[in-house]
Amino acid sequence: LRNIPNRCNRAAITQQLEAYGFGGTYDLVYVPIDRTTGNLNLGYAFVNFRDKANCSRFTDAFNGKCAKVLFPQSSSRKILVIALASVQGRDAYWKRLSSFV
């Protein structure tokens, strides 16, 4: 999920996923934080869905939408973009992530 508001955190994304009926359909929500600012994200998040049908439904619901609409506490006018990650699946992603630590 690209172009999320910089002050948006994991809880805010999870809240929207739940609000849009995606509860129980995903097993990973990761929002990288910019270590230079300490509390702002890098403008993107990883969400791993358990099946392709819910991933497609998520794409339909979030892709091309204004961040302000989905995250009303934000003043961001960024347009959200859904892009597939180079690594697919929760376990594969955690393995890749752990190689950086």
Side-chain angles (χ1 to χ4, degrees), residues 1-98:
L1 178 58
R2 295 182 183 185
N3 295 333
I4 62 173
N6 291 98
R7 295 192 188 279
C8 189
N9 58 26
R10 183 182 185 280
I13 292 172
T14 301
Q15 181 180 14
Q16 287 306 313
L17 289 170
E18 299 291 323
Y20 277 78
F22 291 104
T25 66
Y26 57 92
D27 55 13
L28 171 74
V29 176
Y30 174 64
V31 182
I33 301 298
D34 183 348
R35 293 177 190 240
T36 62
T37 64
N39 62 352
L40 300 178
N41 70 54
L42 294 171
Y44 59 90
F46 295 94
V47 179
N48 188 72
F49 288 91
R50 294 183 175 133
D51 60 57
K52 290 181 182 180
N54 283 303
C55 183
S56 293
R57 196 166 62 88
F58 170 73
T59 299
D60 291 343
F62 282 66
N63 194 51
K65 303 295 188 298
C66 180
K68 176 80 176 148
V69 172
L70 291 171
F71 303 101
Q73 73 281 7
S74 168
S75 60
S76 177
R77 299 279 180 205
K78 294 179 183 178
I79 302 300
L80 301 175
V81 175
I82 306 302
L84 291 177
S86 59
V87 175
Q88 293 295 306
R90 181 193 66 191
D91 294 339
Y93 183 75
W94 280 123
K95 182 177 178 182
R96 180 174 187 269
L97 187 61
S98 67

